[in-house]
């Protein structure tokens, strides 16, 4: 719906214009009147006016002056000059002022209606265009945050630097221009939150982070935690302390509002945007201190030097432990656990909390390895999960290591039994398949493996380990045994028996038979 303002110093003319047209049918819901340009200007400044229908010659401020001011202040208002003056100069001035319509009095109702309909059509088109542009702006405004976060994730978390990075930063309106850059990571601890409320708490925590950091800096999610990118031109040391204090504020604010703990970390300071990835990795590394030093704290990458001196992760021994489990060698398992304990005892002033953390890492590595197997029983899984409680309750190093060693033995034994059972099943399937198809000259390790649905290499290894012989020899033995029976129990010729037992070449059959029995087929039959 539109608003029209009729400006004329003669009240009779104004009333006539109001009455001769059904303005509501044209979409005008509000009709205002003014007797001069000054009054008209006040109305335009007070109300939203879409169309002004004005005379030229009026006291105090004429229609041309009014048109000039309106064109300057309200470019969206349509102006129509309605006058009895035919002077060309008036028309010229009106056009110069941007007035698109110039109507001479007297004008009939039909002519005025046609002109108003024409103007209303323009108003509708412009309104639709404005609404469309508004919707697009809103859409862009809603999307730009998503685009900003996607770009920041690629740059900061993945280290993806593109040739058009500068243009993208400008188009996304990111304030990434400073002397120093630093990345922080905020990890809400959501274990106590109901799954149904998980997203709500994440969103609330993100808002708290955003409010604490402010619009001057960037915040986004890396799908697990909230990431903060801060930049400053001040001196590094003072700025670094401010960032640390901000992380402390975030931690306290999240707990105060949401009643959940938060662990934060600060990465290294970098001077180039391309190095943000390094700062992010440093922040993630600092965040790992939570495993040994505890959650609900703020960790600084600069403090990692001390942590790295005392922290231990026995990579080689864990690999030996897993190898011992897979190969079912208890002595390897025992040596690996002994190596882990020796390393921990060899560290001077090694904190008890760190010893527990090492054992948790060992158990986690075991679970990570066996999680790909569907051969572990639920009871064994339960036993393994109970280890975490045992580690927490342990008071000395043997109480930490012994339950893990026993669990490793049990996993190894169960895997060995399951694997042996599965191997036996495979061998039995092979034996039955060979029994039915030994007469097929195309029968081979690969065709048998395809039937069993395993690889040729795996079948060869399992078969040899279980049967103590390779597949080719086993197939030859089966064929020779069948040939021996046929020679003794039938009158078939030697070449017919060769074909019956999968040999396409009778001569080769004779050679193979003699090699197997020490006699030719004819000698074997007559013996």
């Amino acid at each position: 719906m539109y608003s029209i303002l009729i400006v004329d110093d003669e009240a009779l003319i104004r009333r006539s214009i109001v009455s001769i047209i059904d303005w509501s049918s044209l979409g005008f819901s509000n009709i205002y009147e003014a007797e001069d340009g000054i009054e008209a200007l006040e109305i335009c400044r007070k109300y939203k006016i879409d169309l002004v229908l004005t005379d030229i010659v009026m006291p105090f401020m004429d229609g041309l002056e009014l048109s000039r001011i309106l064109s300057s202040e309200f470019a969206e208002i349509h102006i129509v000059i309605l006058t009895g003056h035919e002077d060309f100069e008036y028309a010229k001035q009106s056009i110069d002022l941007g007035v698109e319509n110039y109507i001479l009095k007297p004008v009939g109702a039909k002519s005025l209606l046609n002109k108003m309909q024409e103007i209303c059509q323009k108003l509708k088109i412009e309104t639709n265009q404005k609404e469309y542009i508004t919707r697009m702006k809103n859409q862009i405004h809603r999307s730009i945050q998503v685009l900003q976060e996607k770009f920041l994730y690629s740059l900061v978390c993945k280290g993806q630097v593109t040739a058009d990075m500068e243009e993208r930063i400008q188009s996304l309106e990111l304030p990434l221009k400073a002397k120093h850059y630093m990345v922080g990571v905020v990890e809400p601890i959501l274990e106590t939150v109901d799954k149904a409320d998980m997203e709500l708490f994440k969103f609330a925590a993100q808002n708290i982070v955003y409010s604490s950091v402010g619009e001057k800096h960037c915040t986004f999610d890396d799908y697990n935690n909230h990431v903060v990118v801060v930049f400053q031109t001040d001196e590094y040391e003072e700025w670094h302390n401010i960032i640390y204090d901000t992380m402390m504020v975030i931690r306290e604010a999240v707990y105060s509002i949401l009643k959940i703990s938060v662990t934060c970390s600060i990465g290294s300071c970098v001077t180039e945007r391309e190095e943000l990835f390094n700062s992010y990795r440093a922040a993630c590394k600092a965040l790992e201190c939570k495993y040994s030093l505890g959650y609900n704290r703020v960790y600084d990458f600069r403090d990692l030097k001390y942590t790295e001196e005392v922290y231990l992760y026995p990579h080689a021994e864990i690999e030996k432990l897993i190898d011992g489990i897979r190969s079912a060698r208890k002595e390897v398992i025992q040596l690996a656990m002994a190596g882990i304990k020796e390393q921990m005892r060899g560290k001077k002033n090694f904190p008890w909390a760190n010893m527990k953390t090492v054992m948790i890492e060992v158990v986690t590595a075991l679970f990570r390895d066996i999680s790909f197997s569907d051969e572990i029983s639920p009871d064994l899984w339960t036993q393994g999960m109970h280890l975490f409680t045992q580690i927490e309750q342990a008071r000395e190093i043997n109480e930490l290591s012994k339950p893990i060693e026993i669990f490793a033995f049990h996993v190894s034994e169960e895997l060995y039994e399951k694997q042996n059972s599965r191997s036996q099943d495979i061998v039995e399937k092979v034996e039955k398949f060979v029994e039915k198809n030994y007469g097929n000259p195309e029968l081979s390790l690969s065709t048998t493996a395809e039937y069993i649905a395993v690889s040729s290499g795996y079948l060869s290894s399992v078969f040899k380990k279980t049967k103590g012989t390779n597949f080719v020899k086993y197939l030859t033995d089966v064929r020779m045994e069948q040939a021996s029976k046929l020679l003794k129990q039938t009158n078939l010729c030697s070449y017919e028996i060769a074909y019956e037992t999968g040999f396409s070449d009778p001569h080769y059959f004779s050679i193979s038979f003699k090699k197997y029995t020490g006699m030719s087929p004819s000698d074997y039959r007559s013996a």
Side-chain angles (χ1 to χ4, degrees):
M1 302 301 288
Y2 308 112
S3 298
I4 183 172
L5 171 60
I6 300 171
V7 189
D8 199 295
D9 59 341
E10 296 185 29
L12 183 61
I13 292 178
R14 297 198 304 271
R15 294 281 180 254
S16 175
I17 293 173
V18 171
S19 62
I20 64 174
I21 292 179
D22 182 4
W23 292 100
S24 62
S25 67
L26 295 176
F28 289 93
S29 58
N30 297 311
I31 301 175
Y32 300 93
E33 297 180 31
E35 62 180 359
D36 58 56
I38 293 177
E39 185 182 0
L41 189 57
E42 290 177 356
I43 292 173
C44 288
R45 287 170 176 170
K46 186 176 181 180
Y47 304 104
K48 182 183 181 303
I49 303 299
D50 299 292
L51 176 62
V52 172
L53 191 61
T54 181
D55 191 9
I56 292 182
V57 180
M58 295 179 295
F60 307 115
M61 180 187 290
D62 64 19
L64 293 179
E65 179 64 13
L66 173 64
S67 298
R68 185 187 67 76
I69 296 174
L70 291 180
S71 297
S72 175
E73 292 188 23
F74 307 98
E76 70 278 5
I77 294 179
H78 284 258
I79 303 171
V80 177
I81 297 293
L82 181 62
T83 182
H85 296 275
E86 299 185 39
D87 193 326
F88 174 75
E89 187 59 31
Y90 281 135
K92 181 178 181 301
Q93 290 182 46
S94 299
I95 293 171
D96 290 342
L97 292 171
V99 178
E100 299 178 1
N101 298 282
Y102 192 92
I103 303 174
L104 290 174
K105 301 176 186 176
V107 60
K110 185 175 181 180
S111 298
L112 183 59
L113 177 62
N114 290 339
K115 179 59 68 174
M116 292 301 103
Q117 287 175 334
E118 179 183 328
I119 293 172
C120 285
Q121 184 62 31
K122 292 182 180 178
L123 281 171
K124 289 178 182 179
I125 293 173
E126 289 181 2
T127 301
N128 290 337
Q129 288 176 337
K130 289 176 182 178
E131 289 177 351
Y132 177 77
I133 290 172
T134 300
R135 287 198 303 271
M136 290 301 99
K137 286 182 177 179
N138 290 337
Q139 183 65 36
I140 291 173
H141 181 72
R142 288 193 298 268
S143 301
I144 194 167
Q145 183 178 356
V146 176
L147 296 173
Q148 285 175 339
E149 291 192 1
K150 186 177 180 181
F151 173 79
L152 288 169
Y153 178 78
S154 298
L155 176 64
V156 178
C157 302
K158 295 295 184 181
Q160 296 176 354
V161 178
T162 58
D164 63 341
M165 181 181 71
E166 190 64 40
E167 291 79 1
R168 293 183 66 186
I169 289 173
Q170 292 180 4
S171 64
L172 293 173
E173 302 175 3
L174 289 168
L176 286 175
K177 189 174 183 180
K179 185 177 180 180
H180 298 116
Y181 302 88
M182 190 178 294
V183 177
V185 176
V186 179
E187 181 188 64
I189 304 169
L190 302 170
E191 284 83 354
T192 59
V193 176
D194 291 339
K195 288 186 178 180
D197 299 328
M198 192 75 71
E199 291 303 319
L200 177 62
F201 274 76
K202 285 183 179 180
F203 180 74
Q206 184 181 28
N207 280 342
I208 294 172
V209 172
Y210 178 78
S211 300
S212 302
V213 174
E215 296 181 0
K216 183 179 177 182
H217 307 285
C218 299
T219 62
F220 65 97
D221 285 356
D222 66 356
Y223 300 104
N224 293 310
N225 306 314
H226 307 303
V227 180
V228 177
V229 181
V230 290
F231 20 87
Q232 189 59 272
T233 56
D234 298 340
E235 289 301 319
Y236 169 63
E237 285 299 330
E238 179 182 353
W239 173 57
H240 183 277
N241 294 334
I242 292 173
I243 295 170
Y244 185 89
D245 292 341
T246 301
M247 288 296 185
M248 292 290 292
V249 168
I250 290 172
R251 183 177 68 88
E252 293 171 5
V254 172
Y255 184 79
S256 174
I257 298 171
L258 301 178
K259 302 303 179 188
I260 59 173
S261 299
V262 166
T263 305
C264 305
S265 65
I266 302 171
S268 55
C269 179
V270 296
T271 57
E272 301 292 337
R273 290 172 299 197
E274 292 83 354
E275 297 174 347
L276 283 168
F277 176 58
N278 295 332
S279 182
Y280 171 74
R281 286 199 304 176
C284 291
K285 189 171 184 180
L287 192 66
E288 292 178 356
C289 290
K290 65 187 179 183
Y291 298 118
S292 57
L293 303 179
Y295 292 77
N296 197 31
R297 297 183 183 182
V298 177
Y299 294 106
D300 189 338
F301 179 72
R302 296 191 305 179
D303 298 332
L304 281 187
K305 184 177 180 182
Y306 168 75
T307 306
E308 289 174 346
E309 286 177 352
V310 298
Y311 189 72
L312 166 71
Y313 186 86
H315 291 277
E317 283 69 23
I318 289 177
E319 289 181 5
K320 289 178 183 177
L321 178 63
I322 292 173
D323 180 61
I325 292 173
R326 290 174 177 173
S327 59
R329 290 183 292 171
K330 286 189 175 182
E331 69 279 5
V332 175
I333 295 173
Q334 289 172 329
L335 285 172
M337 290 303 302
I340 293 172
K341 289 192 292 183
E342 185 179 349
Q343 283 197 40
M344 288 193 293
R345 285 179 171 141
K347 286 279 186 179
K348 294 181 179 180
N349 301 320
F350 193 59
W352 178 241
N354 282 24
M355 288 189 179
K356 288 185 176 182
T357 303
V358 170
M359 290 306 179
I360 289 173
E361 295 281 6
V362 173
V363 175
T364 303
L366 291 180
F367 270 113
R368 188 183 301 117
D369 185 66
I370 66 176
S371 63
F372 299 101
S373 172
D374 59 355
E375 299 173 343
I376 300 300
S377 66
D379 290 342
L380 201 57
W381 277 102
T382 302
Q383 179 186 342
M385 295 303 295
H386 185 59
L387 284 175
F388 293 108
T389 303
Q390 291 178 280
I391 291 172
E392 176 58 31
Q393 296 174 348
R395 292 295 176 265
E396 57 96 14
I397 193 166
N398 284 328
E399 288 183 14
L400 286 174
S401 61
K402 196 60 180 177
I404 299 175
E405 186 176 299
I406 294 171
F407 175 68
F409 287 158
H410 291 169
V411 171
S412 176
E413 291 167 359
E414 188 162 316
L415 282 176
Y416 181 77
E417 291 175 3
K418 296 281 188 180
Q419 289 168 358
N420 276 352
S421 177
R422 187 167 183 267
S423 297
Q424 190 60 46
D425 289 342
I426 289 174
V427 169
E428 288 177 2
K429 288 181 180 180
V430 170
E431 290 173 340
K432 291 179 181 178
F433 185 69
V434 170
E435 186 67 28
K436 290 182 179 180
N437 297 278
Y438 66 85
N440 182 359
E442 301 297 326
L443 182 63
S444 64
L445 176 65
S446 60
T447 57
T448 306
E450 184 178 354
Y451 170 76
I452 303 298
V454 296
S455 68
S456 298
Y458 180 74
L459 178 59
S460 177
S461 175
V462 168
F463 194 86
K464 184 173 179 59
K465 183 178 179 181
T466 306
K467 293 288 288 184
T469 185
N470 61 48
F471 176 82
V472 174
K473 186 177 184 308
Y474 173 76
L475 176 59
T476 301
D477 290 347
V478 170
R479 285 172 168 168
M480 291 297 101
E481 289 297 320
Q482 293 299 322
S484 300
K485 291 179 182 179
L486 292 173
L487 285 168
K488 290 290 187 180
Q489 298 172 6
T490 70
N491 294 323
L492 292 174
C493 297
S494 178
Y495 72 88
E496 291 176 315
I497 293 174
Y499 295 141
E500 284 288 330
T501 55
F503 289 89
S504 56
D505 183 351
H507 179 66
Y508 179 67
F509 165 71
S510 297
I511 294 174
S512 299
F513 190 84
K514 186 173 183 178
K515 184 178 180 181
Y516 181 75
T517 62
M519 294 182 288
S520 66
S522 57
D523 291 341
Y524 183 84
R525 173 172 276 172
S526 59

